[in-house]
Amino acid sequence: MLKSFKEVQEQEAAFETRDRGTRMVPLDRIVGSVGRYHDFDERFRIRSHLPAERLEKIKSKMTAGKALPPVKLYQIKNEYYALDGNHRIAAANELDYGEIKAWVIEFIPSKGSKENLLYREKAQFDDRTELPYSIELTDFGQYENLIEQISSHRDYLGKNDAAPITLQNAAKDWYETIYKPLIAIIQKGRLIRHFPGRTL
């Protein structure tokens, strides 16, 4: 059976929300449903006692390449829960799609665990930079260090540009020209093995 969104929301005390807009979401991250978690199994397959006509119609449309509206998902940390589009998700799973287009509302956990406090820092970083990429850190305060780096990069970019540069645009440029090349060097040199418990 799928996870119940309300149960996880209560466990994490996740009531503060952020609209994350429309994005592609990996299907294996959709682990539950807001209201129909009893109708599908843990792999988002429809239960055998339920009618399958709607599912088959959606599969036919997908196979024919017809555009369907984005599903609507709630997010808690790295997991997603279907608010609308359960059958579309089930169909996409049956057709072996890797991801699905979704409109996402994120619920920020407020329980005071180290994991949740760090996640809140990450959420604030994501809000300020609007990067479409996820950067995972392991120490408190390090997201603020990244903001300082990005701000310095914005100042550098502004020296040669008459128009003011937003933090969001500076973040995208910083990610492509500084962050990604450094990550490539770390990966090539296998340096991460010398820092157990750390992320790239």
Side-chain angles (χ1 to χ4, degrees):
M1 188 170 66
L2 293 173
K3 288 185 179 181
S4 162
F5 169 77
K6 286 199 174 295
E7 287 180 11
V8 178
Q9 183 185 34
E10 292 288 342
Q11 290 166 10
E12 296 287 357
F15 301 101
E16 183 183 341
T17 62
R18 300 280 193 281
D19 186 341
R20 294 303 184 198
T22 302
R23 58 180 61 186
M24 299 303 293
V25 173
L27 283 167
D28 60 5
R29 291 281 183 88
I30 305 174
V31 300
S33 180
V34 177
R36 304 196 61 180
Y37 54 92
H38 289 296
D39 294 344
F40 300 85
D41 69 12
E42 67 279 356
R43 294 178 60 191
F44 236 108
R45 293 175 300 201
I46 194 166
R47 296 285 185 183
S48 58
H49 66 278
L50 295 172
E53 290 85 356
R54 186 176 174 193
L55 179 66
E56 293 304 320
K57 284 181 182 177
I58 292 171
K59 282 170 62 179
S60 295
K61 288 180 180 179
M62 286 182 167
T63 305
K66 292 184 179 177
L68 297 175
V71 299
K72 294 178 182 177
L73 302 178
Y74 284 167
Q75 176 186 359
I76 298 179
K77 293 199 269 197
N78 292 319
E79 295 183 334
Y80 297 84
Y81 303 81
L83 173 66
D84 178 64
N86 291 275
H87 283 82
R88 277 168 276 162
I89 295 166
N93 269 310
E94 285 197 20
L95 294 170
D96 291 325
Y97 286 20
E99 56 188 12
I100 194 166
K101 191 173 186 180
W103 172 61
V104 177
I105 296 291
E106 182 178 15
F107 287 72
I108 310 297
S110 62
K111 282 279 179 74
S113 66
K114 177 185 175 183
E115 179 189 7
N116 283 353
L117 291 171
L118 193 58
Y119 189 86
R120 288 183 71 83
E121 282 192 10
K122 179 182 181 301
Q124 290 171 1
F125 175 81
D126 291 343
D127 286 343
R128 292 176 69 183
T129 63
E130 297 180 6
L131 279 172
Y133 321 99
S134 183
I135 297 178
E136 307 292 336
L137 301 180
T138 54
D139 275 349
F140 295 116
Q142 295 305 310
Y143 283 106
E144 193 56 41
N145 285 341
L146 291 189
I147 290 290
E148 290 176 11
Q149 286 185 36
I150 293 167
S151 296
S152 295
H153 189 64
R154 177 177 60 179
D155 294 342
Y156 167 76
L157 293 172
K159 289 178 182 177
N160 300 314
D161 201 322
I165 296 171
T166 65
L167 184 73
Q168 292 77 24
N169 286 337
K172 290 183 179 70
D173 192 83
W174 167 86
Y175 183 88
E176 293 294 335
T177 62
I178 296 175
Y179 181 82
K180 278 176 68 176
L182 282 173
I183 289 295
I185 291 169
I186 293 169
Q187 289 174 322
K188 187 174 182 180
R190 299 182 182 175
L191 300 179
I192 193 69
R193 62 185 174 176
H194 299 295
F195 299 91
R198 303 287 181 165
T199 62
L200 284 165

